Amino acid sequence: MDNIILEYRDPLFGIILLVALIFLISFVTYSFSIYKERLAREDYRKLSLRFELGKLKEEDYVHLYKTYNLPFDSILLLASSFLHKGDYNKAISVYLTLLEHVNDRVKKEELLELLGTTYFKGGFLQRSKEIFLRILKFSSRNKNALNHLLLVYEKLKDFQKAKEITACLEELDKDVSIDTIYLDSLIILNDSILSYEKRTELLYEIFKENKIIERIFASFLIQFNKTFFWEHIKEFNCAKYIDLMWYLNFDDIDFDKVSQNEFLVELYNAKGYLNTLKHSSDFDFDILILINTHEHKIKASLDFEFVCTVCKHSYPIFDTRCPHCHNILTLDVKHRLTKSFYTSNQSLQ
């Protein structure tokens, strides 16, 4: 019987004890990891539910990043959901919170770009400017930051600063010729020291070389120098800004000059200012001309929309930059028949 019992000094006893100890430690570690994983899954399910309900807090995004090692791009994708909903303040709060916990330079730069862009979309132009200037301090060749800073300066009407940004972009081999022409025109238009005649002279020099500013120039002339506009009407393609010509006040139209322009003759016959045509090659004009000759006139007019030739988005109001893709002077005007809400000689000026 004594031979069966192992003494504590027996090597076999030590091996059994070691194996038992390893088994016990492994069991406890495995059980604790299962318990921890279960808690983590439960916590993750709560986070997922809060995300589905749109109730994720700023610290939850940090929790996902630091605790679950969720890919950074995935976290930014989650945060960008607020942008799609138009909740810019919430998106800004998430980006600011993440910035406090992100140390990697590349990730921080990406976060700052998103923050600056969100400030811009939300209309916080000064804050947007500060963020992009901060980016450029440690990443002076960041084209995205430079492009957005140009837009910010333009929105703030600091056109000289915007032009300085085009010089930086030009050094980075970006074609900014259109931006330069556009900004030169805006600088002249917004120079209150210059007289209208001097502004007309300077803009006309740009216009002769660059027809891209035609609508800007024509709009300025229609408002401030109508005499010059009608004297040079042959140099303008009025179909490109039919909306401006349509809403022009009757008393501001030089009908002697109009009679020499086939498009304007059709337009003002459709408007009812003239009665010299029975038909037009334009379908909408033709309908309006027929309505004008009818005894019981139906109140009809033209409505306009503006379609970007680059991104194809449409807008009810003209802008010199497409609000979506930010390309310059790419909005083409389209017209269609609509019920009239204006009197025949009403102007938008």
Side-chain angles (χ1 to χ4, degrees):
M1 193 72 177
D2 292 338
N3 295 331
I4 297 175
I5 299 173
L6 296 172
E7 295 184 4
Y8 72 93
R9 280 184 289 226
D10 192 315
L12 187 59
F13 176 80
I15 292 171
I16 293 173
L17 186 63
L18 180 62
V19 170
L21 188 61
I22 291 171
F23 174 78
L24 181 63
I25 292 171
S26 300
F27 177 77
V28 171
T29 303
Y30 178 71
S31 299
F32 181 72
S33 66
I34 290 177
Y35 173 73
K36 191 175 180 181
E37 185 180 350
R38 187 177 297 170
L39 286 178
R41 285 182 179 176
E42 187 177 343
D43 191 25
Y44 191 78
R45 275 194 222 100
K46 289 179 181 177
L47 285 174
S48 300
L49 182 60
R50 286 214 294 275
F51 173 73
E52 290 173 7
L53 296 174
K55 296 181 179 179
L56 271 183
K57 298 178 181 178
E58 290 84 347
E59 55 269 19
D60 290 332
Y61 289 89
V62 177
H63 194 43
L64 286 169
Y65 175 62
K66 300 186 76 174
T67 306
Y68 299 107
N69 294 318
L70 197 68
F72 188 68
D73 290 341
S74 299
I75 294 174
L76 294 184
L77 187 63
L78 290 175
S80 68
S81 63
F82 294 117
L83 294 179
H84 297 300
K85 295 176 184 176
D87 192 348
Y88 297 118
N89 288 324
K90 186 70 174 178
I92 288 167
S93 298
V94 171
Y95 295 143
L96 286 172
T97 305
L98 285 171
L99 272 172
E100 296 175 3
H101 300 273
V102 173
N103 297 316
D104 182 86
R105 180 183 169 181
V106 175
K107 292 178 180 177
K108 183 163 281 190
E109 185 174 347
E110 186 178 357
L111 262 176
L112 284 170
E113 283 184 32
L114 286 168
L115 181 60
T117 304
T118 307
Y119 274 137
F120 177 76
K121 290 180 178 178
F124 307 105
L125 298 179
Q126 286 292 347
R127 291 184 182 180
S128 180
K129 182 181 79 171
E130 291 168 6
I131 293 296
F132 289 123
L133 287 173
R134 180 179 167 187
I135 293 172
L136 292 171
K137 281 184 179 179
F138 60 84
S139 182
S140 59
R141 300 178 68 84
N142 187 317
K143 287 186 180 181
N144 187 39
L146 285 168
N147 283 323
H148 275 87
L149 190 58
L150 188 154
L151 295 175
V152 170
Y153 280 133
E154 187 183 318
K155 289 280 187 183
L156 293 171
K157 298 191 180 300
D158 193 344
F159 304 117
Q160 290 290 357
K161 285 284 188 183
K163 194 173 177 183
E164 289 175 16
I165 299 298
T166 62
C168 297
L169 288 168
E170 192 172 17
E171 289 180 5
L172 298 176
D173 299 324
K174 182 182 177 182
D175 183 10
V176 291
S177 55
I178 294 176
D179 300 75
T180 304
I181 295 164
Y182 171 65
L183 289 169
D184 282 339
S185 302
L186 292 182
I187 289 170
I188 296 168
L189 283 169
N190 290 273
D191 190 341
S192 57
I193 297 175
L194 297 175
S195 65
Y196 293 137
E197 289 73 18
K198 186 61 178 177
R199 281 185 244 182
T200 299
E201 180 185 333
L202 294 173
L203 287 169
Y204 185 52
E205 290 302 314
I206 297 175
F207 170 68
K208 285 189 291 186
E209 298 293 328
N210 304 281
K211 297 297 183 183
I212 189 172
I213 71 160
E214 181 171 350
R215 182 180 175 112
I216 296 177
F217 186 36
S219 180
F220 168 78
L221 293 175
I222 288 170
Q223 192 170 2
F224 299 111
N225 199 341
K226 296 180 181 67
T227 302
F228 184 94
F229 177 71
W230 289 113
E231 285 176 356
H232 295 80
I233 192 65
K234 291 182 179 179
E235 298 177 51
F236 293 95
N237 182 1
C238 298
K240 290 184 177 179
Y241 34 90
I242 179 178
D243 55 310
L244 296 180
M245 305 310 296
W246 180 262
Y247 292 122
L248 199 58
N249 199 312
F250 183 90
D251 296 330
D252 293 328
I253 300 171
D254 186 335
F255 286 99
D256 290 333
K257 299 293 184 181
V258 167
S259 64
Q260 302 169 30
N261 188 301
E262 183 180 347
F263 171 77
L264 291 179
V265 169
E266 291 189 14
L267 179 71
Y268 290 127
N269 268 273
K271 178 80 172 177
Y273 287 171
L274 294 175
N275 188 20
T276 58
L277 294 178
K278 292 185 177 179
H279 294 286
S280 168
S281 56
D282 183 287
F283 176 78
D284 293 337
F285 290 0
D286 198 37
I287 295 297
L288 287 173
I289 290 170
L290 289 173
I291 290 173
N292 290 333
T293 58
H294 200 275
E295 289 184 12
H296 303 287
K297 291 185 179 180
I298 301 169
K299 290 185 177 181
S301 181
L302 290 182
D303 191 23
F304 305 96
E305 68 172 341
F306 304 89
V307 181
C308 178
T309 56
V310 178
C311 67
K312 307 306 179 185
H313 279 68
S314 64
Y315 307 94
I317 300 173
F318 178 82
D319 201 342
T320 51
R321 276 192 188 270
C322 173
H324 182 258
C325 66
H326 303 301
N327 279 290
I328 298 170
L329 299 170
T330 55
L331 296 188
D332 274 355
V333 59
K334 308 291 182 184
H335 63 271
R336 62 175 180 269
L337 281 171
T338 185
K339 183 179 179 181
S340 177
F341 294 98
Y342 306 100
T343 59
S344 60
N345 63 345
Q346 186 170 3
S347 169
L348 286 185
Q349 296 183 52

